[in-house]
């Protein structure tokens, strides 16, 4: 560690010559399937994580073998929009170089797992050939920009997608390191001196940065979970007049460290489309300069805003952008979920939303979904959109093709009559690939839901929309603290249960019970389901009910997330 107390990652970034490090050399080292520790931090900025198959760890340790190293690659897909050709190419790459499956993520992109070091360049070249890349899909930079993908409100949606793309392009790192290292591009003579990162500088941002664009009434992008957000404000004709700007949302926290907490974003003001890019850049540069570079657990924008106050932050953003923000305009969100099945656009074309359980695209017994999606992509001349809920929209389907598309999707189980709980479920990847996972998530949530569905059916609640999300650790990749039922891994087979979040994504949940195993989760929820069936008011959602009926206390925007936890009755004296 050097003389000041910046975190180790700050030195790695600074010494990396704009994200080059020793990646090029590391790729040619044939002795190991891994790369150096410092390069493991840098490779994230190129959209990759070094992982190992944790299922294989015991056996490989026994045989004194190196861990089964492989890389996860995350593609950059602003707004989640792909052409059918891009879909087909990613599917091919997954089968040629990855573990054969594709993973749709909660932030509207595709992850490919299991790519060994010696196939990385071929993989990235194949991705480049379809005009996609993985630049800044991970790392301390602006990540994939999300956008409401439902094109049925066509004009507002087009404006939102344009903004998402413009913000994404504007905040892309300028370094040519990606092209040099992965695509065999020429290194620009003089290297470091030639590069300028006008927005980021040499050390990029203190931490990851996430931006979304929402089109009310849908909050499918979960705007309050993100560092920066734009909410489309529409006039009577459905045209966008400008954007409310949100700042300071984030999910990640650490068990047992109450200084870390999820936080919902604040609405900071309103700007016109013309000023939106300047505002986005100013928010990013204020965070670049004010964010905490000593403690990575305190380095997200949410803590900067808590520490400095929203008014001070807003004034600095306005000063740097050179434009004042107007007071925020009224808006209403109604849900965070997807609308499955067909919606018809203003132009007569149809959009088919398909349920992909936990975003995993694969062929399993009785559900050849990967094959079916390949068939659809071959027949399709519209686009394919990844939703923020790990699902897919086959968008812009001409009327004459709709019946056949529906038949194929139905046969593969992507339009099955799922329960209201399963329709609204998400899980992060967790085991076996994620090195941070404390418990299963993607592989376990389907079974837990089967048990919960039985309880819900017993109370006549099968059709009710209830949002459930699970993650294997408190980092919160599937945004569990914004789910009406949130489950967060604590250790093998053990989960913390969170309740009381709002259905429209505007309020966080609160810890209800710790360290529950499967039977404990079902037992904890059963009396609340029963009460909900008997006592709920007309249209009342499960998260709101859990608070009104006194099961759990209400959380504000996050600093109070760890206050008044536990089943409410036991805290009655403290209230
Ligand atoms: C400090 C916090 C976090 C860390 C260190 C972290 C790290 C990781 C890692 C290592 C993976 C790869 C897992 C795999 O594919 O095997 C992952 C997946 C992912 N993370 Fe995070 N993550 C954090 C927080 C978040 C948050 C708050 C979000 C979203 C709001 C998010 C979004 C995602 C997404 C979309 C994926 C892909 C899989 C999925 O859809 O769940 N991450 N994260
Ligand atoms: S929430 Fe934790 S376990 Fe799940 S993918 Fe994110 S980092 Fe891994």
């Amino acid at each position: 560690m050097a003389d000041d107390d910046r975190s180790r990652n700050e030195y790695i970034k600074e010494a990396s010559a704009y994200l080059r490090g020793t990646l090029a050399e590391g790729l040619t080292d044939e002795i190991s399937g891994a790369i150096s520790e410092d390069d493991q931090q840098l490779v994230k900025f190129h959209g990759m994580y070094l992982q190992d198959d944790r299922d294989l760890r015991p056996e490989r340790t026994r045989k004194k073998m190196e861990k089964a190293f492989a890389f996860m690659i995350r593609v950059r897909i602003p707004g989640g929009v792909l052409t059918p050709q891009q879909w087909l190419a990613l599917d091919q790459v997954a089968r040629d170089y990855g573990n054969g499956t594709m993973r749709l993520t909660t932030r509207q992109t595709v992850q490919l797992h299991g790519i060994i070091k010696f196939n990385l360049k071929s993989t990235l070249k194949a991705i480049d050939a379809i005009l996609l890349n993985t630049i800044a899909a991970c790392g301390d930079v602006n990540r994939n920009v999300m956008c409401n993908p439902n094109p049925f409100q066509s004009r507002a949606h087009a404006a939102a997608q344009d903004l998402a793309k413009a913000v994404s392009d504007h905040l892309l790192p300028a370094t040519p390191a990606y092209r040099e290292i992965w695509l065999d591009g020429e290194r620009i003579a003089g290297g470091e001196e030639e590069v300028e990162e006008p927005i980021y500088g040499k050390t990029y941002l203190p931490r990851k940065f996430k931006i979304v664009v929402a089109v009310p009434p849908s909050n499918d992008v979960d705007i309050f979970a993100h560092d920066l957000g734009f909410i489309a404000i529409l006039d009577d004709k459905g045209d966008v007049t400008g954007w409310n700007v949100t700042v300071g949302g984030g999910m990640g926290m650490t068990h047992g460290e109450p200084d870390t907490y999820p936080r919902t974003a604040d609405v900071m003001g309103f700007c016109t489309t013309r000023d939106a890019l300047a505002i986005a850049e100013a928010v990013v540069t204020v965070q670049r300069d004010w964010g905490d570079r000593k403690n990575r657990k305190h380095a997200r924008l949410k803590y900067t805003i808590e520490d400095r106050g929203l008014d001070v932050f807003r004034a600095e953003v306005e000063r740097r952008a050179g434009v004042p923000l107007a007071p925020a305009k009224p808006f209403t969100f109604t849900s965070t979920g997807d609308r499955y099945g067909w919606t018809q656009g203003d132009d007569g074309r149809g959009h088919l939303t398909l349920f992909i359980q936990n975003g995993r695209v694969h062929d399993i017994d009785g559900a050849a979904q990967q094959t079916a999606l390949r068939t659809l992509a071959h027949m399709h001349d519209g686009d394919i959109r990844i939703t923020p809920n790990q699902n897919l929209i086959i968008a812009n389907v001409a009327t004459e093709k709709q019946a056949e598309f529906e038949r194929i999707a139905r046969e593969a189980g992507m339009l099955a009559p799922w329960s209201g709980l399963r329709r609204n479920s998400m899980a992060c990847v967790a085991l076996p690939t994620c090195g941070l996972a404390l418990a299963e998530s993607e592989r376990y949530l389907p079974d837990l839901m089967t048990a919960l569905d039985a309880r819900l059916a017993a109370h006549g609640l099968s059709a009710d929309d209830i949002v459930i999300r699970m993650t294997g650790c408190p980092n919160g990749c599937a945004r569990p603290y914004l789910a009406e039922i949130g489950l967060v891994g604590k250790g093998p087979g053990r989960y913390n249960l969170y309740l009381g979040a709002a259905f429209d994504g505007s309020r966080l949940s609160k810890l209800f019970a710790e360290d529950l195993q499967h039977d404990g989760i079902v037992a904890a929820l059963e009396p609340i389901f029963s009460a909900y069936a008997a006592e709920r008011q007309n249209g009342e959602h499960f998260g709101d009910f859990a608070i009104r009926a006194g099961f759990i206390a209400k959380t504000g925007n996050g600093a109070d997330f760890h206050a008044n936890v536990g089943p409410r009755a036991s805290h009655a004296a403290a209230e």
Side-chain angles (χ1 to χ4, degrees):
M1 209 73 169
D3 39 7
D4 66 50
D5 55 356
R6 288 182 300 159
S7 76
R8 185 178 142 72
N9 284 54
E10 294 301 318
Y11 294 97
I12 298 173
K13 287 184 272 185
E14 189 166 20
S16 73
Y18 294 102
L19 308 181
R20 293 184 175 93
T22 56
L23 279 166
E25 295 86 319
L27 289 180
T28 58
D29 166 15
E30 289 173 11
I31 307 222
S32 166
I35 52 177
S36 79
E37 257 180 54
D38 286 3
D39 286 345
Q40 287 176 34
Q41 296 305 318
L42 293 177
V43 81
K44 296 179 189 175
F45 291 77
H46 299 262
M48 286 160 256
Y49 258 80
L50 176 67
Q51 309 185 314
D52 74 288
D53 187 328
R54 295 177 58 181
D55 286 347
L56 300 179
R57 271 189 200 171
E59 187 195 334
R60 294 183 66 102
T61 311
R62 226 178 17 253
K63 293 186 179 157
K64 297 197 168 41
M65 291 166 78
E66 177 174 90
K67 286 178 183 165
F69 288 116
F71 288 77
M72 178 276 276
I73 290 190
R74 189 180 287 163
V75 187
R76 181 180 190 87
I77 310 174
V81 182
L82 292 170
T83 63
Q85 292 70 34
Q86 287 173 325
W87 177 270
L88 288 168
L90 289 174
D91 174 90
Q92 190 67 48
V93 168
R95 288 179 293 133
D96 287 348
Y97 302 117
N99 68 1
T101 74
M102 287 161 81
R103 179 63 156 68
L104 311 179
T105 82
T106 61
R107 297 200 75 257
Q108 282 186 300
T109 182
V110 170
Q111 280 188 192
L112 305 173
H113 291 94
I115 297 167
I116 59 166
K117 183 168 92 174
F118 307 102
N119 283 333
L120 282 176
K121 281 172 94 167
S122 311
T123 304
L124 292 177
K125 283 179 185 164
I127 290 174
D128 183 63
I130 47 166
L131 305 182
L132 291 173
N133 62 64
T134 68
I135 302 173
C138 316
D140 300 341
V141 264
N142 172 48
R143 310 281 192 87
N144 197 42
V145 179
M146 295 170 67
C147 177
N148 170 271
N150 193 343
F152 88 106
Q153 294 162 301
S154 301
R155 287 201 305 279
H157 177 269
Q161 178 68 32
D162 286 350
L163 179 62
K165 179 79 173 60
V167 171
S168 174
D169 290 348
H170 188 65
L171 296 176
L172 209 59
T175 173
Y178 182 88
R179 187 148 291 279
E180 277 171 29
I181 297 169
W182 310 105
L183 306 175
D184 293 330
E186 290 285 298
R187 179 160 184 170
I188 294 168
E192 191 176 338
E193 289 70 43
E194 299 292 318
V195 176
E196 267 184 38
E197 286 285 11
I199 296 177
Y200 293 117
K202 273 190 171 181
T203 48
Y204 294 82
L205 296 180
R207 209 55 177 81
K208 64 173 83 169
F209 198 90
K210 298 181 177 174
I211 305 181
V212 300
V213 183
V215 183
S218 174
N219 184 23
D220 53 3
V221 294
D222 252 327
I223 196 154
F224 301 105
H226 289 91
D227 296 276
L228 171 61
F230 293 93
I231 302 174
I233 302 297
L234 312 186
D235 64 16
D236 300 344
K237 296 194 283 318
D239 287 313
V240 173
T241 60
W243 311 86
N244 278 354
V245 181
T246 61
V247 287
M251 290 285 103
M253 62 160 209
T254 307
H255 287 313
E257 295 187 22
D259 289 349
T260 67
Y261 47 85
R263 184 179 190 278
T264 43
D266 298 309
V267 183
M268 183 167 70
F270 171 89
C271 72
T272 61
T273 300
R274 199 192 54 221
D275 294 335
L277 271 193
I279 295 289
E281 181 178 326
V283 170
V284 167
T285 66
V286 178
Q287 168 60 5
R288 178 197 67 198
D289 300 338
W290 289 9
D292 186 342
R293 291 188 185 257
K294 295 178 182 163
N295 175 5
R296 289 182 64 77
K297 289 187 178 173
H298 188 255
R300 290 287 293 275
L301 177 61
K302 61 182 175 180
Y303 299 114
T304 309
I305 289 184
E306 279 290 327
D307 296 347
R308 304 264 189 156
L310 182 63
D311 291 340
V312 175
F313 184 81
R314 184 197 294 109
E316 181 65 8
V317 167
E318 290 174 331
R319 193 184 68 74
R320 293 193 189 199
V323 283
L325 288 163
K329 311 265 190 224
F331 61 94
T332 308
F333 287 127
T334 52
S335 72
T336 56
D338 290 337
R339 305 159 50 126
Y340 295 101
W342 289 102
T343 49
Q344 299 297 329
D346 331 327
D347 54 2
R349 297 206 134 206
H351 314 293
L352 183 62
T353 306
L354 306 175
F355 176 66
I356 311 291
Q357 182 143 276
N358 296 332
R360 183 64 68 179
V361 177
H362 55 180
D363 284 348
I364 46 170
D365 283 349
Q369 298 186 343
Q370 193 167 6
T371 304
L373 288 168
R374 216 156 35 234
T375 308
L376 288 174
H378 276 298
M379 295 163 60
H380 189 34
D381 57 6
D383 46 74
I384 297 180
R385 295 168 188 231
I386 302 159
T387 80
N389 290 291
Q390 307 172 319
N391 291 310
L392 269 187
I393 303 178
I394 311 294
N396 292 310
V397 185
T399 317
E400 61 278 12
K401 287 188 179 172
Q402 292 182 8
E404 178 67 355
F405 274 42
E406 183 172 330
R407 186 189 63 75
I408 294 168
R410 198 169 290 286
E411 273 180 22
M414 295 182 286
L415 286 168
W418 302 111
S419 71
L421 186 72
R422 205 173 292 254
R423 276 200 302 268
N424 290 284
S425 63
M426 291 205 286
C428 75
V429 179
L431 292 161
T433 52
C434 181
L436 304 163
L438 305 170
E440 294 282 351
S441 183
E442 177 186 321
R443 297 194 294 197
Y444 167 54
L445 183 60
D447 295 340
L448 174 65
M449 281 190 296
T450 301
L452 294 177
D453 273 343
R455 301 317 315 147
L456 288 165
H459 297 297
L461 295 170
S462 298
D464 288 87
D465 285 311
I466 298 176
V467 177
I468 181 169
R469 298 174 181 173
M470 173 178 276
T471 58
C473 87
N475 285 336
C477 298
R479 305 189 284 271
Y481 315 110
L482 283 168
E484 294 177 292
I485 301 173
L487 290 149
V488 175
K490 190 82 187 297
R494 293 183 290 114
Y495 298 85
N496 284 358
L497 171 61
Y498 294 83
L499 296 175
F503 186 75
D504 67 359
S506 62
R507 183 184 62 242
L508 293 164
S509 57
K510 196 172 276 304
L511 180 64
F512 180 74
E514 278 186 273
D515 272 322
L516 298 179
Q517 301 188 353
H518 179 91
D519 291 346
I521 298 170
V522 180
L525 287 169
E526 162 61 29
I528 313 178
F529 289 159
S530 166
Y532 181 54
E535 298 163 25
R536 67 175 154 171
Q537 294 170 350
N538 205 2
E540 188 175 29
H541 284 290
F542 185 70
D544 297 336
F545 171 80
I547 293 172
R548 186 182 59 81
F551 287 101
I552 190 85
K554 190 174 181 170
T555 298
N557 77 343
D560 63 341
F561 181 73
H562 299 295
N564 299 324
V565 298
R568 198 103 192 275
S570 64
H571 286 254
E575 307 263 313

